[in-house]
Amino acid sequence: MSNKSDGKKLQEKLTHKWRNVWDILDKVEKEKAFAINEEYKTFLDKSKTEREGAMEIIKIAKEKGYISIDEIREKGIKPTPGMKIYANNKDKAVALFVLGKEKLEKGMNIIGSHLDAPRIDLKQFPLYEESDFALFKTHYYGGIKKYQWVTLPLALHGVVVKSDGEKINIVIGEDENDPVFFITDLLPHLAKDQMAKKMDEGITGEGLNVLIGSIPYKDGELKERVKLNVLNILNEKYGITEEDFTTAEFEIVPAGKSRDVGIDRSMVGGYGQDDRVCVFTSLKAILDVELPNKTAVSLFVDKEEIGSVGNTSMESMFFENMVSELIDLTEEKYSELMVKRALASSCVLSADTLAGFDPNYPEVLDKKNSPFIGNGITLVKYTGVRGKGGSNDANSEYLGKIRKIFNDNNIVWQMGELGKVDQGGGGTIAYILAKYGMEVVDCGVPLLSVHAPYEIASKADVYMTYKGYNVFYKN
């Protein structure tokens, strides 16, 4: 009898089993988890594009007392510990800072996420008429399965810069009284050849044409009357012409609001959760920070889904430039060496999502090393493709520090990797931040159906990720 008891104690001492968040939440915390996810769904619905996300972050930050770095510079304000500052990069990327007691040169605690999500963009000259239909030609953005986007109700979000320089924001398809748009598909009765193709060939990129109208303009002597009628409607409502499409950024996204998933309402289903779930949780976490020892930073960048290229991405000089500005504002004498020390001494959570274990597709996932939905915030030592190509690969010392912070603060966490070794892979912004010498590890929310028009997250993981980011800033 004692041998069995001793064996059980030894097993409990030496072996490890990941915990399910729902098992450790009491009634009060469970209510908090559900309440935070209501906030999260609202944020998702207001942030269907990177521009909308950036503007929502700035709006919320200003309500919480954040001040623009441009205003600080223009008014000659001297930043002091505890001051809350935001920087806007072309309405597509944002950085939030809460200045710490220690000098910036001593490093920062940074959480970096990305605002962009896979979608379908309009081409620069998209509108055309074919067989008495008006359609938009498109170019998809990021890694999508093209067949998932047909026969869905779609919305149009974007911005137009007119010939006189006026900028107009346009959203069609989100209000319940708005029309929606569709990409059509073949009926199965006539899809013999289509269904014989590989999945990635059944629907082509050039075939993702969006159906937007079918009523012709009344003048029967004109050509392309359906196209003209669409242009006339857009002109009457927004004052734009066909040429204005060439200076526009329009995105096609799934229409409608995010929803609870499951009879127990334990999950959230919605568009763009990769990576806006980490955007929301890191935003909420930094809004709780008042006077940290080290400066707290929340980074929200663009273009991660296409390789972090461009002037609003993590590869741009935006963040480095903002750190330089802050050192210039806070120090008696500016030094480039101070900037380099501030960056190299920083600690980072690269906040991105990961594929959670899906029992429908066990063949591509390593069950022993995949994160499970509902088991908490996920640490990812390495991402990359196959032989860790393109990975940051965090070191044991830094992982040990994060592990201790989480354990000491009762954060339910787990480890994960993106699928079986030879199956594929992916990357994040971690390696870009690591090039400064920062300590970086990927850390975020596991999802089901990543990069699909609708992704699924556990409300428990959303809540625990917020708590994990919160203690990272404070410890």
Side-chain angles (χ1 to χ4, degrees), residues 16 50 56 156 172 176 189 204 221 225 229 245 274 276 284 289 296 310-311 333 343 350 391 435-436:
H16 180 78
E50 69 283 3
E56 184 66 13
L156 178 72
I172 305 172
E176 63 180 14
H189 311 69
T204 66
E221 296 183 1
R225 293 189 296 137
N229 192 50
F245 280 103
D274 176 19
R276 291 170 195 143
K284 189 165 181 62
V289 177
N311 61 6
K333 187 177 180 181
L343 295 168
S350 170
S391 172
K435 73 181 181 181
Y436 293 107

Side-chain angles (χ1 to χ4, degrees), residues 339-357:
V339 178
K340 291 182 177 181
R341 285 174 178 165
L343 295 168
S345 301
S346 294
C347 293
V348 184
L349 296 183
S350 170
D352 211 335
T353 62
L354 195 68
F357 185 81

Side-chain angles (χ1 to χ4, degrees), residues 107-373:
M108 299 161 281
N109 289 329
I110 303 166
I111 301 179
S113 55
H114 66 89
L115 284 161
D116 61 318
R119 59 180 190 258
I120 297 176
D121 290 342
L122 296 195
K123 291 190 175 184
Q124 276 0 98
F125 213 65
L127 183 58
Y128 73 103
E129 180 175 332
E130 179 63 46
S131 304
D132 291 335
F133 290 119
L135 302 105
F136 280 140
K137 294 193 69 65
T138 67
H139 193 137
Y140 61 89
Y141 173 101
I144 69 169
K145 290 181 174 178
K146 295 184 284 291
Y147 68 83
Q148 293 179 330
W149 287 76
V150 299
T151 72
L152 286 178
L154 301 169
L156 178 72
H157 291 238
V159 61
V160 179
V161 177
K162 296 166 65 176
S163 58
D164 61 1
E166 181 186 3
K167 185 164 73 173
I168 301 173
N169 292 306
I170 296 176
V171 176
I172 305 172
E174 299 295 353
D175 186 276
E176 63 180 14
N177 295 314
D178 280 354
V180 293
F181 310 102
F182 278 87
I183 298 170
T184 59
D185 194 11
L186 274 174
L187 64 164
H189 311 69
L190 300 177
K192 178 177 176 294
D193 292 342
Q194 181 195 49
M195 295 177 72
K197 296 178 180 178
K198 294 180 180 179
M199 290 178 75
D200 66 344
E201 297 171 350
I203 303 293
T204 66
E206 290 294 344
L208 292 172
N209 301 309
V210 181
L211 185 63
I212 62 165
S214 64
I215 296 177
Y217 191 74
K218 290 183 179 179
D219 190 338
E221 296 183 1
L222 299 174
K223 294 181 179 180
E224 297 189 320
R225 293 189 296 137
V226 179
K227 174 185 172 181
L228 180 61
N229 192 50
V230 167
L231 283 170
N232 188 49
I233 292 169
L234 292 172
N235 183 259
E236 288 179 348
K237 187 166 185 178
Y238 304 107
I240 61 175
T241 66
E242 186 172 18
E243 188 177 302
D244 291 325
F245 280 103
T246 63
T247 51
E249 292 179 12
F250 277 123
E251 301 177 14
I252 298 292
V253 300
K257 297 182 181 297
S258 52
R259 301 287 297 273
D260 286 345
V261 175
I263 199 164
D264 55 4
R265 296 183 178 272
S266 61
M267 296 165 282
V268 173
Y271 166 69
Q273 296 196 72
D274 176 19
D275 184 32
R276 291 170 195 143
V277 64
C278 294
V279 169
F280 170 79
T281 45
S282 59
L283 170 63
K284 189 165 181 62
I286 200 170
L287 292 177
D288 291 343
V289 177
E290 293 297 331
L291 183 58
N293 286 320
K294 288 183 179 291
T295 293
V297 184
S298 201
L299 271 176
F300 312 98
V301 296
D302 183 25
K303 299 291 192 290
E304 191 275 344
E305 296 294 357
I306 57 170
S308 292
V309 293
N311 61 6
T312 54
S313 74
M314 193 65 246
E315 282 280 18
S316 76
M317 296 292 288
F318 167 64
F319 179 57
E320 185 177 336
N321 290 345
M322 291 305 101
V323 174
S324 299
E325 292 278 6
L326 286 175
I327 286 179
D328 185 55
L329 288 164
T330 55
E331 297 291 340
E332 293 297 324
K333 187 177 180 181
Y334 174 82
S335 165
E336 190 67 26
L337 186 57
M338 288 182 183
V339 178
K340 291 182 177 181
R341 285 174 178 165
L343 295 168
S345 301
S346 294
C347 293
V348 184
L349 296 183
S350 170
D352 211 335
T353 62
L354 195 68
F357 185 81
D358 190 332
N360 281 330
Y361 304 99
E363 66 277 6
V364 299
L365 300 161
D366 176 1
K367 194 172 184 179
K368 292 184 179 297
N369 287 283
S370 291
F372 280 75
I373 302 299

